[in-house]
Amino acid sequence: MRRSDLPPKLVQSFLTVLRMQSFTKAAQSLNLTQPAVTQHVARLEELLGVKLIERSRGVILPTNHAQTLMPDFEQLERSVSLIFDKVRTLPRADREIVQIATPTSLVTYLLAPLFAELRKEGASAFPIFREVDDHRVYDMVRAKEVDFALTSMTGNDAALSCEFLLSDCPCVVFPAGHPLTGDGPVELDTIASFDFIRPPRDTSANRMIEVFERELNREFSFTAEASRLMTMEVMARSGLGLLILPTLSARLSAHSGLKFRPINASIGWRSCQLIHHPQARPSAFVKKLMKSIRCSSNSLVKDLPELISTTE
């Protein structure tokens, strides 16, 4: 198969089905018919020669082959999206495009409120969020695909400037009515006996689990695995297992009907940092935005002092 034989629309349909957990809802989101989306996924499987989707207790899951290919699918989707985003903004020369690589939780609690506030002050900007939570973020900043990034990844890339923003504590996330329902922190030994949903590798959630397994000198029991936070939330609400997430991600999941409690542990906290390319020349707006991010990070710490810290 030649590379040109892989239409991006097939990949977009596949990824949208996973995110929406429904072929019908994916079709509505893409303004297509349900049979068209089904055909797109089938055609993609045919072209690649592997099965990409399986079902478990009504949940749509990526197969192991799909998990392996997911970074490449998402990179293709980002590339196509970037082209159309830029085209849409071309007629508006007065509007500055700002591209940021970031986890979803930091969009919710830092970036989206800041852009809304700056817009009230008269700023004219078109933000493009590249949602990523693994080591690809370094490649994106290094290649100057984004103006800067907010990430929990840590590394020793001397070519990049890294600035610590905040740490948020690990939490256990569970459906309403679960035996863990209650107030206040929960002990690590208490949660270790339950089944969990494994997050993707190279994510803060997975690193938390690995830290806890070393601390307890035992492995957690996993009943399923997912590559997207939205899918993990669906699985948790269905009773497939619990989640371990950093505070800001846990608060985001709570909006979907889940509950959470902080884990009483001094280990496993997620460290969020701002990274940018030192040789890049940020615009005045981007400089102001990064300064505002630092201030907002401090405000989050003041609002949730027991769950968020400015200490690495």
Side-chain angles (χ1 to χ4, degrees):
M1 178 188 70
R2 299 189 308 274
R3 183 174 299 181
S4 59
D5 291 334
L6 183 61
K9 65 182 180 182
L10 305 186
V11 174
Q12 184 182 34
S13 290
F14 164 68
L15 292 175
T16 305
V17 168
L18 286 183
R19 292 167 187 157
M20 304 297 291
Q21 284 294 295
S22 164
F23 281 82
T24 301
K25 291 181 180 179
Q28 294 170 348
S29 174
L30 296 170
N31 197 28
L32 298 170
T33 64
Q34 186 270 330
V37 171
T38 300
Q39 290 173 6
H40 285 177
V41 175
R43 179 58 177 160
L44 182 60
E45 291 180 327
E46 179 184 353
L47 286 173
L48 298 177
V50 296
K51 185 174 177 59
L52 297 174
I53 281 179
E54 59 187 3
R55 294 179 181 270
S56 176
R57 298 185 184 181
V59 178
I60 299 175
L61 302 174
T63 64
N64 290 335
H65 292 305
Q67 292 274 17
T68 301
L69 296 170
M70 196 67 70
D72 303 293
F73 287 148
E74 293 177 338
Q75 183 177 2
L76 176 60
E77 183 186 44
R78 286 197 306 270
S79 298
V80 174
S81 176
L82 177 59
I83 292 172
F84 284 101
D85 287 340
K86 286 187 174 181
V87 169
R88 282 196 296 269
T89 59
L90 287 178
R92 294 287 303 274
D94 60 322
R95 187 165 54 180
E96 180 175 351
I97 301 174
V98 183
Q99 300 185 65
I100 307 169
T102 175
T104 304
S105 61
L106 297 184
V107 174
T108 303
Y109 295 106
L110 280 179
L111 294 172
L114 279 178
F115 272 99
E117 186 63 31
L118 291 171
R119 183 167 295 178
K120 290 179 182 177
E121 296 175 3
S124 181
F126 188 92
I128 300 175
F129 298 127
R130 305 298 176 198
E131 296 178 72
V132 58
D133 192 22
D134 59 30
H135 283 100
R136 284 176 295 160
V137 72
Y138 285 96
D139 295 332
M140 297 171 73
V141 177
R142 196 182 303 110
K144 299 181 182 178
E145 295 179 15
V146 294
D147 292 284
F148 62 88
L150 302 182
T151 180
S152 62
M153 302 307 300
T154 55
N156 298 313
D157 196 327
L160 303 178
S161 296
C162 304
E163 177 184 348
F164 172 77
L165 292 175
L166 57 84
S167 294
D168 53 346
C169 82
C171 298
V172 59
V173 179
F174 47 86
H178 191 272
L180 285 176
T181 300
D183 298 319
V186 60
E187 298 300 322
L188 183 56
D189 287 336
T190 301
I191 69 170
S193 60
F194 293 97
D195 293 331
F196 287 84
I197 299 166
R198 182 182 285 281
R201 297 187 61 184
D202 286 335
T203 62
S204 55
N206 192 64
R207 291 194 296 276
M208 288 176 176
I209 290 172
E210 291 175 344
V211 168
F212 291 151
E213 287 179 331
R214 288 195 295 269
E215 175 71 13
L216 295 170
N217 195 28
R218 59 177 288 190
E219 294 184 354
F220 282 23
S221 173
F222 297 99
T223 58
E225 181 175 333
S227 61
R228 309 283 301 190
L229 179 59
M230 181 183 297
T231 305
M232 293 167 62
E233 291 171 351
V234 170
M235 298 166 76
R237 287 199 303 272
S238 299
L240 287 176
L242 309 186
L243 306 177
I244 289 181
L245 297 173
T247 293
L248 295 181
S249 298
R251 293 184 77 201
L252 184 59
S253 296
H255 292 302
S256 68
L258 294 169
K259 308 293 183 181
F260 75 93
R261 292 174 64 183
I263 299 172
N264 186 23
S266 60
I267 57 175
W269 286 54
R270 174 179 67 167
S271 294
C272 299
Q273 58 180 339
L274 185 155
I275 63 174
H276 62 91
H277 201 298
Q279 296 179 357
R281 296 181 178 179
S283 67
F285 177 81
V286 170
K287 289 181 179 178
K288 181 178 181 179
L289 179 61
M290 290 193 291
K291 182 178 179 180
S292 298
I293 288 172
R294 299 180 186 102
C295 294
S296 294
S297 297
N298 291 330
S299 297
L300 279 175
V301 173
K302 292 179 181 178
D303 293 339
L304 300 167
E306 296 181 354
L307 303 178
I308 304 177
S309 171
T310 54
T311 303
E312 290 189 73

